[in-house]
Amino acid sequence: MSVTADHSPDTSNGDQATPADRPAIQIGGEAETIRVLTTALGQGALPDVYVSGGQLVHLARVSGKAASAAEHAHQADAGALPVQADPITAPSLTWLLAHHTFVYRNKFNKATEQWEDVEASPTKAALSAVLSSRYWPDVRPLVGVVTSPVLRPDGTLLQTAGYDTATGLYYAPTVAMPPIPAQPSTQEVSEALEFVTRTLLRDFPFVADADKANHIGLMIAPILRPYLGCLTPFGLISATTQSSGKTLLAEIPGYIYGLKHLVWRKNDEDELQKSITSALHSTAAVMLWDNLAEGTEVSSAVLAKLLTGPKWDDRNLGSNSAGFEAVNDRLWLATGNNIRLGGDMATRTALVRLDPNDPHPDQRDQTGFGIPHLDQWLKKPANRVTVLRHLLILVMDWINAGAPRSGHTMRQFTTWAGAAGGFLAHHGVDGFLDNVAEMREADDENTTWTAFLAKWHELHDDNPLRARVLCHSAEPEVIGNQVVDRWDGTFLTDDRDRIPSSKSLGKLLTGHIGRWHGPHVLRSRHDKSANSLVFWVETNPDHDKADHDQTPAADEQTALI
C-alpha cells in the first residue's frame, strides 16, 4: 500500500473528502487488519502523528482553551490556536482513520453478485493491538512542542513553524514572530540590553545585583535548553511583603513561553506528584506555584527528584499501571513572602529576592516607570513579541561571540550555570549567583544543624559521644530554683518539638556524617567496646569563609549553591 501524507497541522473537518482524496486501506481478518494498519501508520497515512516515548501521539490545535480576551481576539486565526500532543487511543485512532483515510473491506453483494469495496471501521481489539506496539521506527519522534524560538544543539535558531527534524521539536507560535537575525548588529544588541535591564526589569525592587542577574539567567533558560541539553534549577522569587511584584516577575517568562499555574499543598507529596504529572501534559514551558503562604518551607523529596532528573515518570492518571513518562524540559518557579527552604532544596534553587522597603508598595506612582502598568502591557501579544525578540537578539549575539562560559558551578545544574553566567558576563550583567550566603540563610535545615553542631562543639569539644549520652546531655538541669537548658534551644527535636529518642537521634546523626554545616562537620566511628557508633564535631572556621568567598573560577566540582 502506498501512502502519502500532509504533515502540517490539520485544520479541516475532513468530512467533505471523497475516498479518492484519502489513502485507501483494505482490511480483512483481525490479524491482517493489525498488520495493515501498523504498516499504514508507519507510512504516514495519518497527518500529524508522531511517536513520543514509544507511544503514538497526535498533534492537533485546541479550540476553546482558557485564555484572556486579548488572547482570544488574537486567536481569530486558527493558526494561532494552541497546539497539543495527545496520546492516540482506540477511539481517537478510529476518528483519525475515518477523517483522513478510506478504510474498507471487500465484500460480496449477493444482490448484484459483485465484489464491492465497503467502508468499514476496524474493531476496538485490532486498534488496541496496533497501539500496543512501542516500536515505530518509521514514525517521526516528537521531543516536545515549543511556542517560541529556541536554540538548536548546533547554535542555530529554530524559528520556522512546524516540525524540526534536527531537534524533534514542533514549533507552534501563538503570536507572529518576526525573523531574528543570525548576526544581530551592534545597535540591535545595545537596544536589546537596554530594554531588558533598564526598561523591562528596572522598577522591580531587587535586593542586589545577584537577584536581577539570576532572574535573567532563568528567563533565557527555555531558549537555551535544547542547545545545552541540561536541567535548570528551581527559581524561587521571595519578597519581604505583599505587592512587591513577585508574581509579575514570574509571569514575564510565563507570558512569552507559556504558563501553567500549579497549586502548592504543604506536606502532601502524593498531591504534589499528581500535580506535576498533570502539568507535564501541558505544553506550557513555565510552571508556577504562585503566592505560597507566607513563611512556607519548601522541602520536598518529590520536587527535589523532579529537578535533578532528566525525565519524569509516574502512573497514568486514573490508573494503577505505570506508563506516563515525560522529558523534564520546563522551568519550575515559585513565589511567596519570606519563603524558606528545607531538605536539599537550597542546592537546587536560584534565588531572586525583592524588597520594596515601602509599607504600601501597591500605591507606588508608576508615572516614571520604565513600562507603567507592566501587567497590562504584557497582555498584548505585540508587546510579548518585543520582550522575546530582545532576549533572542542577546542570545544570538552571545552565540556569535563563541557562547563563552563562566566558571560557575551548581550541583546538577553546572551546564546551565556556566552558560547563563557566560551570557550575563558577555553582556556586562554582574552578580550572577552571588547570593549564596542568603540562600543558606533561607535553608532552615542547614541553619538548624549549624546551630546544633556549634553548640555541640562548644559543650563537648571533639570528644566522641554515643547518641544516648548526647540525648542525656540535652535534658534540662535544675540549678537552684531555675531550670537551665545548656543547649539554649539548639538541640534537635522531633515533629512534636520533643527531644528524640537515642535511636531516632542516632539515625538523624548518621544521615549527616561528613556533611558540612557552616564551619562544622559531623564525624563518627564504630566503638568496638560499646558495639555502637560514636559521634563528634570538628570545626574549621576557614571552611565556611572559603565556601562563601569562592569565585566563579573555582573547581568545577565545587557547587556554589
Side-chain angles (χ1 to χ4, degrees), residues 525-555:
R525 62 176 171 79
H526 187 264
D527 187 343
K528 292 183 179 179
S529 61
N531 194 28
S532 66
L533 285 176
V534 291
F535 305 89
W536 69 95
V537 176
E538 293 179 358
T539 185
N540 180 358
D542 293 331
H543 181 277
D544 195 43
K545 182 178 184 299
D547 198 30
H548 279 61
D549 293 345
Q550 191 178 143
T551 64
D555 184 87

Side-chain angles (χ1 to χ4, degrees), residues 400-424:
N400 288 323
R405 305 298 204 270
S406 68
H408 290 93
T409 60
M410 186 182 180
R411 199 167 179 166
Q412 289 95 334
F413 314 107
T414 291
T415 300
W416 167 81
F423 168 87
L424 291 162

Side-chain angles (χ1 to χ4, degrees), residues 291-374:
N291 278 318
L292 273 61
E294 189 165 4
T296 293
E297 180 188 55
V298 177
S299 178
S300 167
V302 170
L303 184 55
K305 171 192 170 186
L306 166 74
L307 294 169
T308 53
K311 291 185 178 180
W312 173 261
D313 55 79
D314 193 8
R315 295 190 303 271
N316 284 320
L317 294 177
S319 170
N320 290 324
S321 61
F324 179 76
E325 183 179 277
V327 176
N328 178 17
D329 56 358
R330 314 304 167 91
L331 177 61
W332 303 89
L333 303 176
T335 72
N337 296 329
N338 299 311
I339 303 301
R340 313 296 295 173
L341 298 169
D344 290 330
M345 287 304 300
T347 61
R348 293 168 165 84
T349 301
L351 178 63
V352 178
R353 299 163 302 154
L354 300 177
D355 182 3
N357 193 27
D358 187 330
H360 304 290
D362 56 315
Q363 298 177 18
R364 287 179 296 173
D365 181 10
Q366 297 194 21
T367 303
F369 277 24
I371 303 178
H373 307 291
L374 179 60

Side-chain angles (χ1 to χ4, degrees), residues 13-167:
N13 293 326
D15 327 26
Q16 306 305 318
T18 63
D21 297 324
R22 293 175 277 162
I25 304 175
Q26 182 178 1
I27 61 175
E30 200 88 331
E32 180 185 1
T33 297
I34 293 170
R35 291 191 294 269
V36 168
L37 289 179
T38 301
T39 300
L41 289 171
Q43 291 180 348
L46 298 178
D48 309 311
V49 170
Y50 301 88
V51 61
S52 178
Q55 186 173 22
L56 292 181
V57 297
H58 179 243
L59 204 61
R61 299 203 177 272
V62 182
S63 300
K65 197 121 175 160
S68 67
E71 288 170 327
H72 278 305
H74 181 71
Q75 291 172 0
D77 173 13
L81 290 172
V83 170
Q84 185 169 300
D86 293 317
I88 296 180
T89 60
S92 63
L93 182 54
T94 302
W95 190 96
L96 289 168
L97 289 169
H99 283 79
H100 299 289
T101 68
F102 179 64
V103 179
Y104 69 95
R105 280 192 173 91
N106 197 239
K107 297 183 70 173
F108 185 74
N109 189 325
K110 293 181 179 179
T112 63
E113 296 186 349
Q114 298 285 332
W115 287 93
E116 299 177 351
D117 294 341
V118 179
E119 189 169 17
S121 290
T123 65
K124 182 178 180 180
L127 295 171
S128 297
V130 170
L131 295 174
S132 69
S133 175
R134 303 284 289 177
Y135 180 59
W136 298 94
D138 299 321
V139 179
R140 294 182 296 180
L142 182 68
V143 173
V145 177
V146 293
T147 58
S148 59
V150 294
L151 272 183
R152 297 186 181 95
D154 64 0
T156 59
L157 193 64
L158 165 56
Q159 53 181 328
T160 301
Y163 182 78
D164 185 60
T165 304
T167 60

